[in-house]
Amino acid sequence: MNYDALKLKNQLCFPLYACSKEVVRKYHPYLEEIGLTYTQYIVMMVLWENQEVTVKALGDTLYLDSGTLTPLLKKMETQGLLVRTRSSVDERSVIISLTEKGYQLRDQAADIPGKIGSCIPLSEEEVRTLYSLLYKVLGQHDAQ
Amino acid sequence: MNYDALKLKNQLCFPLYACSKEVVRKYHPYLEEIGLTYTQYIVMMVLWENQEVTVKALGDTLYLDSGTLTPLLKKMETQGLLVRTRSSVDERSVIISLTEKGYQLRDQAADIPGKIGSCIPLSEEEVRTLYSLLYKVLGQHDAQ
DNA sequence: GTAGTTTTGGTTGTGTACAATTAAATTGAT
DNA sequence: ATCAATTTAATTGTACACAACCAAAACTAC
């Protein structure tokens, strides 16, 4: 039998997995300064763009499920970054809204993307290509 | 202040992070059939190619540290897939070697890459491009 | 309007990940 | 030879991730 397909070098998934972790790790020192983890940071990015979102919408946007989000959001609530309120329109939904403190944090986060960008060794063209290929792989899920 | 760089849509890291998780998730049903997790699977891939490796080499290859590998390898040892032996040449090193059972598992894993490949919506050309861009990002770490 | 289905969050259990620290073994400079 | 520095695993503590399951609310036919 031919086992070439099982060689690490022939995997697409592995560099994807490794690269994701390595890049997330680059965020660590910068995020630590403002008291966020990476997962909390992407939650905040959604909230900075939309003052209010449901847990459901957050999960769809970030590809995270309630088992990850519920404890994360509760912790962020105790840190005073956001508030969790059950929707009066639909009691099943929980609405996440930014607090003033959460909103203020955006100023401190604003220079992080630039710092990360400068330590990724790709040209702008390459970044665009990588970006669109990644979304192409992710894309099929939208069609669900 | 301009916060465009903080928009989720303008992040490269986020699709990388999301895509990695989504693709790893695709492996789940196939890996479950042969009793492996994704992390265990990539460890096995290294061992199928090299009957023996040290924990250090495994960590360098897979971008994982001992905090992840030590408990993982101990569990795989109890499952009979591999054996952990302290090197007699260098007592600091632990050598991981495949058992017969671990070796046999390769036959059952052999068709997994094909099954995954067929549900990634990229052309061969695109896969090659994505692959090389990911390794380009990872590459700088080799230069450490 | 009510039973059956779907949607939405929450909970539990398992399995990573990694930073930080520790301890033992090895190496290297004197 | 010896001691300081380095290397290697292991340990500890914190934080995700997600599958599987559960319960309550909302929706859908009839």
Side-chain angles (χ1 to χ4, degrees):
Chain A
M1 207 185 298
N2 182 359
Y3 298 109
D4 279 358
L6 277 178
K7 288 183 176 168
L8 203 63
K9 269 195 176 174
N10 295 328
Q11 305 296 313
L12 178 62
C13 186
F14 171 68
L16 197 52
Y17 161 84
C19 197
S20 166
K21 289 188 306 165
E22 290 300 309
V23 176
V24 167
R25 182 152 53 199
K26 282 191 206 293
Y27 281 83
H28 188 264
Y30 304 117
L31 290 176
E32 195 173 34
E33 285 177 24
I34 61 173
L36 293 178
T37 63
Y38 182 73
T39 316
Q40 290 169 359
Y41 173 62
I42 60 177
V43 166
M44 292 305 288
M45 283 199 292
V46 174
L47 290 171
W48 286 325
E49 285 187 71
N50 319 280
Q51 303 271 334
E52 289 194 349
V53 276
T54 63
V55 172
K56 166 73 170 152
L58 204 51
D60 288 346
T61 305
L62 299 177
Y63 296 81
L64 294 172
D65 75 0
S66 63
T68 303
L69 285 175
T70 299
L72 186 82
L73 294 170
K74 283 183 177 175
K75 196 180 309 170
M76 293 172 78
E77 186 175 33
T78 68
Q79 291 168 354
L81 297 173
L82 51 83
V83 174
R84 298 161 64 252
T85 328
R86 205 153 279 270
S87 164
S88 54
V89 179
D90 183 341
E91 291 275 348
R92 293 170 305 178
S93 297
V94 169
I95 296 169
I96 307 301
S97 13
L98 266 185
T99 60
E100 185 60 23
K101 179 179 174 188
Y103 182 75
Q104 297 296 340
L105 203 59
R106 181 154 72 157
D107 285 336
Q108 292 172 66
D111 57 349
I112 293 180
K115 289 176 181 164
I116 298 297
S118 65
C119 65
I120 289 183
L122 296 181
S123 68
E124 282 197 31
E125 165 87 28
E126 288 171 325
V127 167
R128 274 194 299 275
T129 304
L130 178 52
Y131 180 96
S132 78
L133 287 172
L134 292 170
Y135 270 110
K136 195 163 185 179
V137 176
L138 279 176
Q140 59 188 321
H141 293 274
D142 301 342
Q144 177 257 17
Chain B
M1 208 185 294
N2 181 1
Y3 299 108
D4 279 356
L6 277 180
K7 287 184 178 170
L8 203 62
K9 271 195 175 174
N10 296 328
Q11 304 297 312
L12 178 62
C13 185
F14 171 67
L16 198 51
Y17 161 82
C19 197
S20 166
K21 288 188 306 163
E22 291 299 309
V23 176
V24 167
R25 181 149 57 198
K26 284 192 206 289
Y27 281 84
H28 188 264
Y30 305 118
L31 290 176
E32 195 173 35
E33 284 178 24
I34 61 173
L36 294 178
T37 63
Y38 182 74
T39 316
Q40 290 169 0
Y41 173 63
I42 60 176
V43 167
M44 292 305 288
M45 284 199 292
V46 174
L47 290 172
W48 287 325
E49 284 187 72
N50 320 280
Q51 305 272 334
E52 291 194 348
V53 276
T54 63
V55 172
K56 167 72 171 151
L58 204 51
D60 288 347
T61 305
L62 299 178
Y63 297 82
L64 294 172
D65 75 1
S66 63
T68 302
L69 285 176
T70 298
L72 187 80
L73 294 170
K74 283 183 177 176
K75 196 178 310 169
M76 293 172 78
E77 186 176 34
T78 68
Q79 292 167 354
L81 296 174
L82 51 81
V83 173
R84 297 162 65 252
T85 328
R86 207 155 275 275
S87 165
S88 54
V89 178
D90 184 340
E91 291 274 350
R92 291 169 305 178
S93 296
V94 168
I95 297 170
I96 307 301
S97 14
L98 264 187
T99 59
E100 185 58 23
K101 180 179 174 187
Y103 183 75
Q104 297 296 340
L105 202 60
R106 183 156 69 158
D107 285 335
Q108 293 172 64
D111 56 350
I112 293 179
K115 288 175 181 165
I116 298 299
S118 64
C119 66
I120 288 182
L122 295 181
S123 68
E124 282 196 31
E125 165 86 29
E126 288 170 326
V127 167
R128 275 194 298 276
T129 305
L130 178 52
Y131 180 96
S132 79
L133 287 172
L134 292 170
Y135 270 110
K136 194 162 184 177
V137 175
L138 280 176
Q140 60 189 321
H141 293 273
D142 302 339
Q144 177 254 19

